[in-house]
Amino acid sequence: SQKIEQNSEALNIQEGKTATLTCNYTNYSPAYLQWYRQDPGRGPVFLLLIRENEKEKRKERLKVTFDTTLKQSLFHITASQPADSATYLCAINTGGFKTIFGAGTRLFVKA
Amino acid sequence: GAVVSQHPSRVICKSGTSVKIECRSLDFQATTMFWYRQFPKKSLMLMATSNEGSKATYEQGVEKDKFLINHASLTLSTLTVTSAHPEDSSFYICSALAEGFYSNQPQHFGDGTRLSIL
């Protein structure tokens, strides 16, 4: 079955460093992949979308890569800030309207 | 833009009660809305896809008579948990896609409803 794996362990980093989160998927070849941010008790907020023919996408301090051979996406936050602390979800489109989400990785940025 | 409002944000009620959750797109028309359920530290689990003016499509294992979905207008979808029991306690989240859907469009999420059944 289609599966998305994100590191279930929380990632703790120091303010100012680059945070790198990993998303691996199996048994599917998505046309695009999305990253969302979710704060406790809130709904996810869309951050970035990257298509299968794009290797890298940037938005301000965020960068996403998409390796369709490895079936992996990396999500980077440069110059991280305590306000970046949240859970980050990876999502892939599985055809038509349907999207499946990873369980997310919790990021803690220490001041 | 693309704001989705979900109401109520929290519900606590007795076992056997039916609970209705509303999901509204405030500044756009949503032809398609999704209902998810999320357990602590788990991924969003898609329950059903709701299209305006038609019956919802439920995912395997989701009881359609238990979780009633109505998408009567382009800005409102409702989820009713009928005869709720403690095992229905969870965080329910809706999302919406704007009219004129194209496949790589992101979803706009509400802030979720925390349902607690005593």
Side-chain angles (χ1 to χ4, degrees), chain B residues 7 32 66 77 87 89 98 103:
Chain B
H7 179 80
T32 301
K66 173 77 172 175
S77 176
E87 58 267 27
S89 299
S103 65

Side-chain angles (χ1 to χ4, degrees), chain B residues 19-96:
Chain B
V19 178
K20 181 187 277 190
I21 302 169
E22 293 188 347
C23 180
R24 292 181 185 274
S25 56
L26 298 186
D27 52 359
F28 66 100
Q29 294 188 317
T31 49
T32 301
M33 289 184 170
F34 302 95
W35 286 96
Y36 295 87
R37 185 171 177 177
Q38 187 176 35
F39 293 101
K41 298 185 181 180
K42 298 292 185 183
S43 63
L44 296 165
M45 183 190 80
L46 180 64
M47 299 175 66
T49 302
S50 165
N51 290 296
E52 184 267 336
S54 62
K55 288 184 180 179
T57 302
Y58 290 81
E59 294 301 301
Q60 192 173 10
V62 178
E63 301 175 57
K64 60 180 182 182
D65 294 330
K66 173 77 172 175
F67 299 99
L68 299 178
I69 291 171
N70 184 282
H71 194 158
S73 78
L74 284 171
T75 59
L76 175 64
S77 176
T78 60
L79 167 68
T80 301
V81 183
T82 61
S83 187
H85 289 95
E87 58 267 27
D88 298 323
S89 299
S90 191
F91 192 51
Y92 292 86
I93 312 177
C94 71
S95 72

Side-chain angles (χ1 to χ4, degrees), chain A residues 70-82:
Chain A
L70 289 178
K71 293 186 182 292
Q72 181 182 79
S73 175
L74 298 178
F75 177 79
H76 306 273
I77 306 176
T78 59
S80 60
Q81 304 166 0

Side-chain angles (χ1 to χ4, degrees), chain A residues 7 14 43 47 56 62 69 79 83 88-89 95-97 101 103-105 110:
Chain A
N7 194 338
Q14 199 65 36
L47 296 175
E56 182 179 297
L62 308 180
T69 302
Y88 291 87
L89 309 176
F97 300 134
F101 289 80
T105 297
K110 299 178 191 174

Side-chain angles (χ1 to χ4, degrees), chain B residues 100-117:
Chain B
F101 169 72
Y102 49 97
S103 65
N104 60 358
Q105 187 186 144
Q107 296 181 34
H108 305 289
F109 286 86
D111 267 342
T113 297
R114 174 70 59 192
L115 176 62
S116 301
I117 308 297

